[in-house]
Amino acid sequence: MHPHHILRVLFTADDIAGRVDALVGEIGRTCAAGSLVLVGILRGSFIFFADLVRGLFYHHLHPRIDFTLLQSYGSGTESSGTVEIERDISVDVRGTEVVLVDDILDTGRTLHFAVELMYAKGARSVKSCVLLDKPSRRVAPISADFVGFTVEDVFVVGYGLDYDSYYRELPYIAELTFTHPGAAGGQ
Ligand code: XMP
C-alpha cells in the first residue's frame, strides 16, 4: 500500500474560491495601485498566486509579477532552519510596495527570510499573503497580513501544495496521512 494517502478534505474548491475572492478584496483595499509588486514564493504558491493575480485585475490592480524559489524544508518533518535562495527575483523592487505570496506559513522561517530579503533589496513596504496559516508551529517572529485559512498542525496537500511533488493538482486542500512514520516535506 502507498505509504501516504488523503485522509479528508479540509477545504473544497468552492471554499477556496470564496476565500481567494475575499483576500483579493482585502489586498485591493489595502495596497496602493501605483508601485505594487507581487512576489510568489515557489513552488507551492503557484495555483494560489495565479488565482490571486487574476482576481486583482477586477480590482483595477495591475501589479508587476515575479517569483522566487526558496528552499527551507529538509527531508524530515522539520524545516532545516536555514533558507536558501534557489531562484531570486529579477524585478527591481526599490521603492515599491511588495506583497509576498506563499502557500503556507508554518514555522515562519521562509516568509521571515523573504520579508527581510525584500527590505534588503530596497522595498518601501513588504506585506505577506498566505493561503494557509499553521500558527501552532511558529518559530520565527512573523505573522501574515492576509490569511486564507488557519489550519491545525496536520500535513496538507492540494491546490499547489505537495508531498514528494505529488498532489499539487488537487483542486481542494486535504489532510495527508502517513502509514509509516517518516518524511513530510515540500516547497
Ligand atoms: P516554514 O516552516 O518556513 O515553511 O514556514 C513554509 C514552507 O514549508 C512547506 N510546508 C508544507 N507543505 N504541506 C505542504 O505541502 C504542509 O502541511 C506544509 N507545511 C509546511 C511549504 O512549502 C511552505 O512554503
Side-chain angles (χ1 to χ4, degrees), residues 73 77 104-109 133-135 137-139 153:
Y73 251 44
T77 49
I104 183 165
L105 181 52
D106 190 21
T107 66
R109 289 186 179 113
D133 187 8
K134 267 190 206 174
R137 297 249 312 162
R138 200 76 84 253
V139 172
D153 184 11

Side-chain angles (χ1 to χ4, degrees), residues 78-153:
E78 281 297 316
S79 58
S80 62
T82 52
V83 179
E84 280 165 32
I85 306 171
E86 296 256 324
R87 191 251 181 223
D88 205 348
I89 57 168
S90 45
V91 165
D92 182 358
V93 294
R94 278 176 297 180
T96 67
E97 195 174 358
V98 171
V99 176
L100 288 162
V101 178
D102 206 356
D103 54 352
I104 183 165
L105 181 52
D106 190 21
T107 66
R109 289 186 179 113
T110 306
L111 197 59
H112 187 260
F113 177 90
V115 169
E116 297 295 308
L117 184 64
M118 294 302 126
Y119 277 122
K121 288 176 180 289
R124 187 177 70 237
S125 82
V126 183
K127 292 194 173 68
S128 53
C129 176
V130 297
L131 178 67
L132 302 171
D133 187 8
K134 267 190 206 174
S136 59
R137 297 249 312 162
R138 200 76 84 253
V139 172
I142 188 158
S143 58
D145 299 281
F146 310 102
V147 174
F149 303 99
T150 300
V151 289
E152 307 282 297
D153 184 11

Side-chain angles (χ1 to χ4, degrees), residues 20-82:
V20 169
D21 251 16
L23 288 174
V24 166
E26 283 180 44
I27 294 171
R29 283 188 295 278
T30 314
C31 298
S35 65
L36 188 61
V37 182
L38 236 68
V39 176
I41 301 176
L42 295 172
R43 301 183 172 83
S45 72
F46 75 106
I47 296 179
F48 178 45
F49 190 86
D51 285 348
L52 273 182
V53 167
R54 279 176 297 187
L56 289 176
F57 172 83
Y58 297 103
H59 283 254
H60 310 291
L61 280 178
H62 309 290
R64 282 187 295 161
I65 300 292
D66 206 348
F67 296 94
T68 178
L69 174 50
L70 300 178
Q71 204 80 32
S72 73
Y73 251 44
S75 54
T77 49
E78 281 297 316
S79 58
S80 62
T82 52

